[in-house]
Amino acid sequence: MRLHRIKYFRLSLQPSEDNTEKISRHDVFDAMFFDELADNSVNRAGLQRLIRYVQCGDTVVVDSMASLTSSTEQLCSIIRQMMEKQVTLEFLNENLIFRHDCLEVVEPIIAVMEQLAEFERAATREKQAAGIASAKSRGSYRGRKKKLSDSQVVSLIGRASNGESKSRLARDFDISRQTLYRYLKPT
């Protein structure tokens, strides 16, 4: 079983050069993986390479949870992936270590984090619904802009009633078939 220390970081979140020199003098890593801050939070190539690279017994060192991901739900998923691979995950700023050999401690922590992620999603949906309701009551909520103008809808319905192909209509009007059927649905 190999025991590698591996560093993962986001380039734009790295500390200043002075701090980087101090860190690199004291900590030696067998491999380093990184992503740009601008990289998509879901599909980051460096993170995906890291996950494929790590093996049983490795330790992955990350400066902070925020540099790993900005989503609590995604963080829980990554921690679970690392635990399944029997990898230790160390967060320096938070002073947290998730050890694969202490699952009786790690599992409840992840469960609480997942509950917090669900709470965050519910709170966001509730705030959004309240904002929409408030905007509707003020008369400033109009919803999404319609894809087709009224004259285009009349043309669409006329061509559909003449038996023209739905696929062709969707292509001609640059709309999905689902949107096409919504326009053709009797009201």
Side-chain angles (χ1 to χ4, degrees), residues 3-182:
L3 300 171
H4 289 158
R5 282 183 62 79
I6 303 158
K7 175 79 172 180
Y8 174 79
F9 57 94
R10 304 282 291 276
L11 285 178
S12 304
L13 294 177
Q14 278 304 101
S16 67
E17 287 183 26
D18 297 335
N19 292 342
T20 306
E21 287 177 19
K22 290 176 191 172
I23 292 169
S24 60
R25 284 187 205 142
H26 299 292
D27 230 343
V28 177
F29 297 103
D30 299 303
M32 288 191 175
F33 295 88
F34 64 90
D35 284 305
E36 297 286 340
L37 185 60
D39 289 346
N40 183 325
S41 63
V42 176
N43 298 316
R44 287 179 277 148
L47 180 60
Q48 295 307 317
R49 283 192 306 272
L50 167 72
I51 291 171
R52 283 192 307 273
Y53 177 83
V54 294
Q55 292 182 5
C56 177
D58 288 348
T59 298
V60 175
V61 179
V62 183
D63 289 329
S64 73
M65 290 178 175
S67 64
L68 191 59
T69 181
S70 58
S71 158
T72 307
E73 182 179 17
Q74 204 174 47
L75 177 64
C76 293
S77 173
I78 293 169
I79 292 171
R80 282 196 189 282
Q81 281 181 303
M82 295 298 181
M83 295 303 108
E84 287 172 8
K85 289 185 158 219
Q86 297 184 351
V87 171
T88 299
L89 191 55
E90 187 177 330
F91 295 103
L92 300 177
N93 290 357
E94 292 83 4
N95 198 23
L96 281 174
I97 299 175
F98 291 91
R99 292 180 47 153
H100 66 278
D101 56 352
C102 295
L103 289 180
E104 65 278 354
V105 174
V106 172
E107 282 299 325
I109 293 171
I110 295 173
V112 168
M113 290 171 64
E114 287 172 337
Q115 289 296 316
L116 287 172
E118 181 58 37
F119 166 74
E120 287 173 352
R121 283 192 301 276
T124 300
R125 283 192 302 266
E126 196 172 298
K127 285 179 190 175
Q128 181 182 21
I132 290 172
S134 173
K136 281 182 178 179
S137 69
R138 290 190 314 269
S140 60
Y141 182 79
R142 305 226 188 321
R144 187 175 181 180
K145 185 178 182 237
K146 293 192 184 279
K147 182 76 175 175
L148 301 179
S149 67
D150 290 341
S151 63
Q152 288 176 312
V153 172
V154 170
S155 172
L156 173 75
I157 292 171
R159 288 174 60 183
S161 63
N162 290 335
E164 198 166 329
S165 157
K166 306 287 192 273
S167 297
R168 180 173 180 81
L169 288 171
R171 271 193 310 274
D172 288 352
F173 286 94
D174 192 30
I175 57 176
S176 69
R177 285 181 61 106
Q178 183 178 3
T179 302
L180 170 86
Y181 287 117
R182 201 170 24 251

